[in-house]
Amino acid sequence: MIYRKKIIAGNWKMNKTQAEARVLVEDLLREIGKFDDVEIVLCPPFTALSAVSELLSSVSNVRLGAQNLHEAPSGAFTGEISAGMLRDLYVRYVIIGHSERRQYFHEDNATVNRKTKAALQAELRPIVCVGETLPEREADKWKDILETQLRDGLAGFGDKELADIILAYEPVWAIGTGRTASPAQAEEAHQWIRKVLGTHFSPAAAERIRIQYGGSVKPENAKELLSKPDIDGALVGGASLDARGFTAIIKNACLD
Ligand code: PEP
C-alpha cells in the first residue's frame, strides 16, 4: 500500500490581525514544532501572510498557505492578489475553490481550473476544494456533483500536475455548521473521488494524491476521521483558530 503523508491545513478565513496572528503562531509553534511526520499548513488572511511568513522562516515542518489567488499574473484587477505576489511572501500552498468562494464570489469549476493552472505555473501547491451541498446530498446526487467538479476543475491536467495538487473533500453542509460527515460517509466520498480520478489519470496517480477532509473537524472527531484509509489529512476552519485545538487535531494525524 502506498504511503501518503498526512497534511493538516488551517484555514483562518477572515480572522486575525497581524498581532493576533503572531500570538497564534507563537502559541502553535511551541506545541507543533516537533511533529515532523505530518505536513502542517497555515492559511492566514492576505494581510497577515507577511507576519506569519517571518515567524515560519526558521521552521521546517510548518508551511505557509493562502486562501485564494487571482488567475492572472498581474494587471488591472483591483483588489486581487497574484500567484507571484504570494510566492514573494514564501507562500507554498493556496486554497482554491473553497465553498465560500463558490457561494459568495460565484466561482465555478472553470474558475477553479484557471486558478489551479495559475498556481501550478507559479509552483504553488493548490488545495482544490470539492463538495456537495445539503440538497445535493439529500437528493443522492453527491457522486455526480463530485465527478463534475473533478472533471471540470482539473480539466487539461495530467499525472504530472496531479502530483502537485492536494484535494479537499468538504461537504458544504458540514462547513462551519458543527455537523460533520460521519467517518464512514467521508471515507465513502474519498473512495469515490479516488475512483473518479482513476478514470482521468493513471491509477498510480489517483493512489498517490492526498485527499483532505474538511467540515467541522475538531479534536473530538479528528482521530476517527483521520484513521480512515483514504482520508489523508484535514482542512480545518474554526478549530484552527485555537492553538490547543489545532494542536490536538495534528496530534491525531501523527503516526502511532
Ligand atoms: C473550512 O473552512 O474549510 C472548514 C472546513 O471550516 P470548519 O472547519 O469551520 O467547518
Side-chain angles (χ1 to χ4, degrees):
M1 211 179 92
I2 204 159
Y3 168 69
R4 295 184 294 263
K5 188 173 184 173
K6 294 251 193 305
I7 174 164
I8 308 288
N11 172 16
W12 296 4
K13 311 196 187 194
M14 197 171 70
N15 293 292
K16 305 288 178 192
T17 61
Q18 293 195 79
E20 290 165 347
R22 281 194 197 96
V23 172
L24 176 55
V25 175
E26 279 162 1
D27 286 350
L28 273 173
L29 290 181
R30 269 193 284 279
E31 298 290 334
I32 63 180
K34 45 195 180 291
F35 299 156
D36 48 14
D37 54 358
V38 180
E39 219 166 305
I40 303 166
V41 182
L42 303 181
C43 304
F46 288 137
T47 48
L49 282 173
S50 179
V52 176
S53 184
E54 242 171 71
L55 290 173
L56 297 186
S57 62
S58 55
V59 179
S60 62
N61 66 332
V62 188
R63 302 278 187 215
L64 188 59
Q67 299 172 21
N68 183 29
L69 51 58
H70 190 272
E71 66 221 47
S74 62
F77 299 101
T78 302
E80 294 293 321
I81 307 280
S82 73
M85 291 167 174
L86 297 177
R87 286 292 311 232
D88 192 38
L89 292 171
Y90 304 101
V91 170
R92 304 284 190 91
Y93 294 81
V94 59
I95 299 171
I96 294 177
H98 190 278
S99 67
E100 288 152 15
R101 300 291 319 168
R102 293 178 188 257
Q103 185 181 350
Y104 304 127
F105 303 96
H106 314 295
E107 294 191 4
D108 59 12
N109 296 327
T111 320
V112 170
N113 186 251
R114 290 192 300 273
K115 290 190 174 198
T116 304
K117 203 172 287 171
L120 289 170
Q121 273 166 1
E123 295 183 6
L124 287 169
R125 308 197 71 185
I127 299 176
V128 176
C129 303
V130 294
E132 79 285 357
T133 61
L134 187 58
E136 289 162 350
R137 163 76 41 180
E138 285 175 345
D140 206 22
K141 288 189 184 147
W142 62 272
K143 285 187 173 174
D144 291 344
I145 296 295
L146 291 178
E147 194 165 2
T148 305
Q149 289 175 338
L150 292 166
R151 188 195 60 216
D152 296 351
L154 304 179
F157 301 146
D159 284 7
K160 186 173 165 295
E161 287 79 15
L162 199 69
D164 289 325
I165 293 172
I166 290 127
L167 283 175
Y169 169 60
E170 298 209 309
V172 182
W173 46 272
I175 298 180
T177 58
R179 191 177 156 178
T180 325
S182 71
Q185 276 175 320
E187 172 64 12
E188 188 186 17
H190 284 226
Q191 281 179 4
W192 174 247
I193 289 170
R194 228 179 271 291
K195 188 170 175 191
V196 171
L197 291 174
T199 64
H200 295 281
F201 301 89
S202 73
E207 255 314 283
R208 260 194 314 268
I209 190 167
R210 288 176 297 174
I211 309 172
Q212 298 176 307
Y213 170 77
S216 299
V217 175
K218 298 182 276 286
E220 307 81 65
N221 58 26
K223 194 171 184 67
E224 217 189 327
L225 285 161
L226 290 167
S227 67
K228 292 290 177 196
D230 285 281
I231 300 183
D232 308 311
L235 180 54
V236 185
S240 71
L241 296 171
D242 170 65
R244 269 220 196 139
F246 194 51
T247 303
I249 291 170
I250 294 166
K251 275 190 183 153
N252 283 312
C254 287
L255 300 172
D256 289 326

